[in-house]
Coordinates of all heavy atoms in Angstrom, one line a residue:
A1 N 105.1 91.9 86.1 CA 105.8 91.5 87.3 C 106.4 90.1 87.3 O 107.3 89.8 87.8 CB 104.8 91.7 88.5
I2 N 105.6 89.2 86.7 CA 105.9 87.8 86.5 C 107.2 87.7 85.8 O 108.1 87.1 86.0 CB 104.8 87.0 85.9 CG1 103.7 86.8 86.9 CG2 105.4 85.6 85.6 CD1 102.5 86.1 86.3
C3 N 107.2 88.5 84.5 CA 108.4 88.6 83.7 C 109.6 89.1 84.4 O 110.6 88.4 84.4 CB 108.0 89.3 82.4 SG 109.4 89.6 81.3
S4 N 109.5 90.1 85.0 CA 110.8 90.8 85.6 C 111.0 90.0 86.8 O 112.4 89.8 87.2 CB 110.5 92.2 86.0 OG 109.2 92.3 86.9
G5 N 110.2 89.4 87.6 CA 110.5 88.5 88.8 C 111.2 87.4 88.6 O 112.4 87.1 89.0
I6 N 110.9 86.6 87.5 CA 111.6 85.3 87.2 C 112.9 85.6 86.5 O 113.9 85.0 86.6 CB 110.6 84.5 86.3 CG1 109.4 84.0 87.1 CG2 111.5 83.2 85.8 CD1 108.5 83.1 86.3
A7 N 112.8 86.7 85.7 CA 114.1 87.2 85.1 C 115.1 87.6 86.2 O 116.3 87.3 86.0 CB 114.0 88.3 84.1
M8 N 114.7 88.3 87.2 CA 115.6 88.6 88.3 C 116.1 87.5 89.1 O 117.3 87.4 89.6 CB 114.9 89.7 89.2 CG 115.7 90.1 90.4 SD 117.1 90.9 90.0 CE 116.4 92.4 89.2
L9 N 115.3 86.4 89.2 CA 115.6 85.2 89.9 C 116.9 84.5 89.1 O 117.8 84.1 89.7 CB 114.4 84.2 90.0 CG 114.8 82.9 90.5 CD1 115.3 82.9 91.9 CD2 113.6 81.9 90.4
A10 N 116.7 84.6 87.8 CA 117.8 84.0 87.0 C 119.1 84.8 87.2 O 120.1 84.3 87.2 CB 117.4 84.0 85.6
S11 N 118.9 86.2 87.2 CA 120.1 87.1 87.4 C 120.7 86.9 88.8 O 122.0 86.8 88.9 CB 119.7 88.4 87.3 OG 120.7 89.4 87.5
L12 N 120.0 86.6 89.8 CA 120.6 86.4 91.2 C 121.4 85.1 91.2 O 122.2 84.9 92.1 CB 119.4 86.3 92.2 CG 118.7 87.7 92.5 CD1 117.5 87.6 93.5 CD2 119.7 88.7 92.9
L13 N 121.0 84.2 90.3 CA 121.7 82.8 90.3 C 122.9 82.8 89.3 O 123.5 81.8 89.0 CB 120.8 81.8 89.9 CG 119.7 81.3 91.0 CD1 118.6 80.3 90.3 CD2 120.4 80.7 92.2
G14 N 123.1 84.1 88.7 CA 124.2 84.2 87.8 C 124.0 83.9 86.4 O 124.9 83.6 85.6
L15 N 122.6 83.6 86.0 CA 122.4 83.4 84.8 C 121.8 84.5 84.0 O 121.7 85.5 84.4 CB 121.2 82.2 84.8 CG 121.5 80.9 85.6 CD1 120.4 80.0 85.8 CD2 122.7 80.2 85.0
S16 N 121.5 84.2 82.7 CA 121.0 85.3 81.8 C 119.7 85.7 82.1 O 118.7 84.9 82.4 CB 121.1 84.8 80.3 OG 120.5 85.7 79.5
I17 N 119.4 87.1 82.2 CA 118.0 87.5 82.4 C 117.1 87.2 81.3 O 115.8 87.0 81.3 CB 118.1 89.0 82.7 CG1 118.7 89.8 81.6 CG2 118.6 89.2 84.0 CD1 118.6 91.3 81.7
E18 N 117.8 87.0 80.0 CA 116.9 86.6 78.8 C 116.4 85.2 79.0 O 115.2 85.0 78.8 CB 117.8 86.7 77.6 CG 118.2 88.1 77.1 CD 119.4 88.6 77.8 OE1 120.0 87.9 78.8 OE2 119.9 89.7 77.7
L19 N 117.3 84.3 79.6 CA 116.7 82.9 79.9 C 115.7 83.0 80.8 O 114.6 82.3 80.7 CB 117.9 82.1 80.5 CG 117.5 80.7 81.0 CD1 116.9 79.9 79.8 CD2 118.6 80.1 81.6
G20 N 115.8 83.9 81.9 CA 114.7 84.0 82.9 C 113.4 84.5 82.3 O 112.3 84.0 82.6
A21 N 113.5 85.5 81.4 CA 112.3 86.1 80.8 C 111.6 85.0 79.9 O 110.3 84.9 79.9 CB 112.6 87.3 80.0
F22 N 112.4 84.3 79.0 CA 111.8 83.2 78.2 C 111.2 82.0 79.1 O 110.1 81.7 78.7 CB 112.9 82.7 77.4 CG 112.4 81.5 76.5 CD1 111.6 81.7 75.4 CD2 112.7 80.2 76.8 CE1 111.2 80.7 74.6 CE2 112.1 79.1 76.2 CZ 111.6 79.3 74.9
T23 N 111.8 81.8 80.2 CA 111.2 80.8 81.1 C 109.9 81.2 81.6 O 109.0 80.4 81.7 CB 112.3 80.2 82.1 OG1 113.4 80.0 81.5 CG2 111.7 79.2 83.0
A24 N 109.8 82.5 82.0 CA 108.7 83.1 82.6 C 107.5 82.9 81.6 O 106.4 82.5 81.8 CB 108.8 84.5 83.1
G25 N 107.8 83.3 80.3 CA 106.7 83.2 79.3 C 106.4 81.8 79.1 O 105.2 81.5 78.8
L26 N 107.3 80.8 79.1 CA 107.0 79.6 78.8 C 106.1 78.9 79.9 O 105.1 78.2 79.5 CB 108.3 78.7 78.8 CG 108.4 77.3 78.2 CD1 107.9 77.5 76.7 CD2 109.7 76.7 78.3
F27 N 106.3 79.2 81.1 CA 105.4 78.7 82.2 C 104.1 79.3 82.2 O 103.0 78.7 82.4 CB 106.2 78.8 83.5 CG 107.2 77.8 83.8 CD1 108.4 78.1 83.9 CD2 106.9 76.4 84.0 CE1 109.5 77.2 84.2 CE2 107.8 75.5 84.1 CZ 109.1 75.9 84.3
V28 N 104.0 80.6 81.9 CA 102.8 81.3 81.7 C 101.9 80.8 80.6 O 100.8 80.8 80.7 CB 102.9 82.9 81.7 CG1 101.6 83.6 81.3 CG2 103.6 83.3 82.9
S29 N 102.6 80.4 79.5 CA 101.9 79.9 78.4 C 101.0 78.6 78.7 O 100.1 78.2 77.8 CB 102.8 79.6 77.2 OG 103.7 78.5 77.5
G30 N 101.4 77.9 79.8 CA 100.8 76.6 80.0 C 99.6 76.8 81.0 O 99.0 75.9 81.5
S31 N 99.4 78.1 81.5 CA 98.4 78.4 82.5 C 97.0 78.6 81.8 O 96.9 78.7 80.6 CB 98.7 79.7 83.2 OG 98.7 80.8 82.4
Y32 N 95.9 78.6 82.6 CA 94.6 78.7 82.2 C 94.4 80.0 81.6 O 93.6 80.3 80.6 CB 93.7 78.7 83.4 CG 92.2 78.8 83.0 CD1 91.4 77.8 82.3 CD2 91.5 80.0 83.4 CE1 90.1 78.0 82.0 CE2 90.3 80.3 83.1 CZ 89.5 79.2 82.5 OH 88.2 79.4 82.1
Y33 N 95.1 81.2 82.0 CA 95.0 82.5 81.5 C 96.0 82.9 80.4 O 96.2 84.0 80.2 CB 95.1 83.5 82.7 CG 94.1 83.3 83.8 CD1 94.3 82.5 84.9 CD2 92.9 83.8 83.6 CE1 93.4 82.5 85.9 CE2 91.8 83.7 84.6 CZ 92.0 83.0 85.8 OH 91.2 82.8 86.7
S34 N 96.6 81.9 79.8 CA 97.6 82.2 78.8 C 97.2 82.9 77.7 O 97.8 83.9 77.2 CB 98.1 80.8 78.3 OG 97.2 80.1 77.5
H35 N 95.9 82.8 77.1 CA 95.4 83.5 76.1 C 95.1 85.0 76.4 O 95.5 85.9 75.6 CB 94.1 82.9 75.5 CG 94.3 81.5 74.9 ND1 95.0 81.4 73.7 CD2 94.0 80.3 75.3 CE1 95.0 80.1 73.5 NE2 94.4 79.4 74.4
R36 N 94.9 85.2 77.7 CA 94.4 86.5 78.2 C 95.9 87.3 78.3 O 95.9 88.4 78.0 CB 93.7 86.6 79.4 CG 93.3 88.0 79.9 CD 92.6 88.0 81.2 NE 92.4 89.3 81.7 CZ 91.8 89.6 82.8 NH1 91.2 88.6 83.5 NH2 91.6 90.9 83.2
V37 N 96.8 86.5 78.8 CA 98.2 87.1 78.9 C 98.6 87.5 77.6 O 99.2 88.6 77.5 CB 99.0 86.2 79.7 CG1 100.5 86.7 79.8 CG2 98.7 85.9 81.2
L38 N 98.5 86.6 76.7 CA 99.1 87.0 75.4 C 98.4 88.2 74.7 O 99.1 88.9 74.0 CB 98.9 85.6 74.4 CG 99.6 85.7 73.1 CD1 101.0 85.9 73.3 CD2 99.3 84.4 72.3
S39 N 97.1 88.2 74.8 CA 96.3 89.3 74.4 C 96.8 90.7 75.0 O 96.8 91.7 74.4 CB 94.8 89.1 74.4 OG 94.5 89.2 75.9
E40 N 97.2 90.7 76.3 CA 97.7 91.8 76.9 C 99.1 92.2 76.4 O 99.4 93.4 76.4 CB 97.7 91.5 78.4 CG 96.4 91.4 79.1 CD 95.6 92.7 79.2 OE1 96.2 93.8 79.1 OE2 94.4 92.5 79.3
V41 N 99.9 91.3 76.2 CA 101.3 91.5 75.7 C 101.4 91.8 74.1 O 102.3 92.6 73.7 CB 102.2 90.3 76.0 CG1 103.6 90.4 75.5 CG2 102.2 90.1 77.6

């Protein structure tokens, strides 16, 4: 949901959804649960 939500935000602003998805992953990577998120993905 985080991935698709931020990607959709980028799309609504006329930007690339790929940029939105990468940005979502980038911000999640700095969170406390980053290792758990990575293990899920």
Side-chain angles (χ1 to χ4, degrees):
I2 291 172
C3 172
S4 59
I6 297 183
M8 180 60 69
L9 175 62
S11 177
L12 292 175
L13 290 172
L15 302 174
S16 167
I17 54 177
E18 292 84 358
L19 173 63
F22 175 77
T23 304
L26 196 62
F27 283 113
V28 171
S29 69
S31 69
Y32 177 78
Y33 298 97
S34 60
H35 294 292
R36 183 177 174 184
V37 172
L38 190 58
S39 67
E40 294 288 339
V41 173

